[in-house]
Amino acid sequence: MLKKLATGKVRYSSELVFRRTIARVLAFVMLGLLFSATVLAWYEESRDLLPGLLAILSVPPVALFWLRTSPDAAMRPLFLLTGGLMAMGAYLLLVQGAPQGGSLAWFIIFPSMLMFCLGL
C-alpha cells in the first residue's frame, strides 16, 4: 500500500487513501451523532443513557488519533469505528427497547454501511 519513491517521499495507494478518508468521515459523523445524542439525553433527563453514550463517545477520538499518528493505518481504525457503531446500536436497543426507539434503524442501516466502509 505504501510505495517509496526515489526522492524519499512515500506514495500511498488509492485504496489506502480512500479507506483513510472513509474512516475520517465516519469518525466525524459518529462523533457528531454521539455528541448530539448525549446532549439530547441530558436535556431530556434520560440519565440511564448517559454512561453508555459517554463510554462510546471515546471511540471516534481514539480512531482519529490512530489515523493521525500512523500513516499506513486504515482498516484497524475502521474496525474500531464499526465496532463502536455496533456497540452504540446494541446499547440503545437494549436500554430504550425495540418498540420505542429508532435504535433498530441502526441495524437496518449498519450492514450496508459496513460493506461500504470495509468492502465485501
Side-chain angles (χ1 to χ4, degrees), residues 46-113:
S46 299
R47 305 282 192 242
D48 54 341
L49 291 175
L50 288 177
L53 288 175
L54 289 173
I56 299 170
L57 191 61
S58 65
V59 171
V62 169
L64 286 170
F65 180 75
W66 196 348
L67 287 167
R68 179 81 173 168
T69 57
S70 179
D72 58 343
M75 293 305 285
R76 289 182 180 154
L78 273 172
F79 286 138
L80 179 70
L81 290 168
T82 53
L85 280 174
M86 282 182 12
M88 181 177 69
Y91 178 74
L92 290 175
L93 185 64
L94 291 174
V95 171
Q96 287 182 345
Q100 293 175 357
S103 58
L104 192 59
W106 281 103
F107 290 105
I108 295 169
I109 301 169
F110 189 72
S112 59
M113 188 207 53

